[in-house]
Amino acid sequence: MITLGSLAFNGPFLAPLWSPPKSAGLYAVLVPGWRLLTFRALHFGQAELFDAELLKAHPRHPEWLTIAGTDWNLYIATHEMSFSTPAQRESAARELARTSPACARCSLRRRCATHRTNSSPC
């Protein structure tokens, strides 16, 4: 169990060994932090139904691999939101990204999706 924002997420789980829950919800893509048992969020997203290929099918997967070095350094954490609408999940994912201390795009000196839409600098 890991707390991201104000939500409790299951995990983090090593991405290659992850068994997805059979529900809708939010997910966080994480990499290990500099200190033991700490993680840094690279991405927050939502899914109608979690799938084992969720991360590999994502357009930003190559970027995450550049940061992590290998799939074995990528972790996923999930927050189940059964019976939620796509709009509710998308809103919650945007709020998590907005309140996250750092995101991968910011650390790469680009604007993340949240900062792009809110036009505030990283």
Side-chain angles (χ1 to χ4, degrees):
M1 184 84 47
I2 186 171
T3 302
L4 300 169
S6 61
L7 300 175
F9 280 70
N10 294 319
F13 304 103
L14 270 171
L17 302 177
W18 176 56
S19 295
K22 304 226 183 295
S23 69
L26 303 176
Y27 65 93
V29 179
L30 310 163
V31 290
W34 292 106
R35 286 186 269 165
L36 186 62
L37 299 176
T38 62
F39 293 89
R40 181 169 64 106
L42 299 180
H43 176 76
F44 294 100
Q46 61 93 16
E48 182 78 28
L49 183 63
F50 293 114
D51 182 286
E53 295 299 313
L54 179 71
L55 298 186
K56 287 191 179 200
H58 197 282
R60 288 183 59 194
H61 185 256
E63 178 184 333
W64 301 334
L65 282 181
T66 300
I67 295 165
T70 174
D71 276 325
W72 292 95
N73 275 338
L74 280 178
Y75 289 77
I76 187 166
T78 58
H79 175 75
E80 294 181 42
M81 295 177 68
S82 301
F83 309 110
S84 61
T85 66
Q88 289 170 321
R89 292 188 304 273
E90 193 61 44
S91 175
R94 273 195 312 271
E95 180 64 20
L96 277 170
R98 187 181 68 76
T99 59
S100 178
C103 69
R105 288 190 181 257
C106 296
S107 66
L108 292 174
R109 295 284 191 206
R110 292 188 235 150
R111 290 172 170 251
C112 66
T114 301
H115 293 124
R116 225 180 300 129
T117 57
N118 292 341
S119 70
S120 61
C122 295

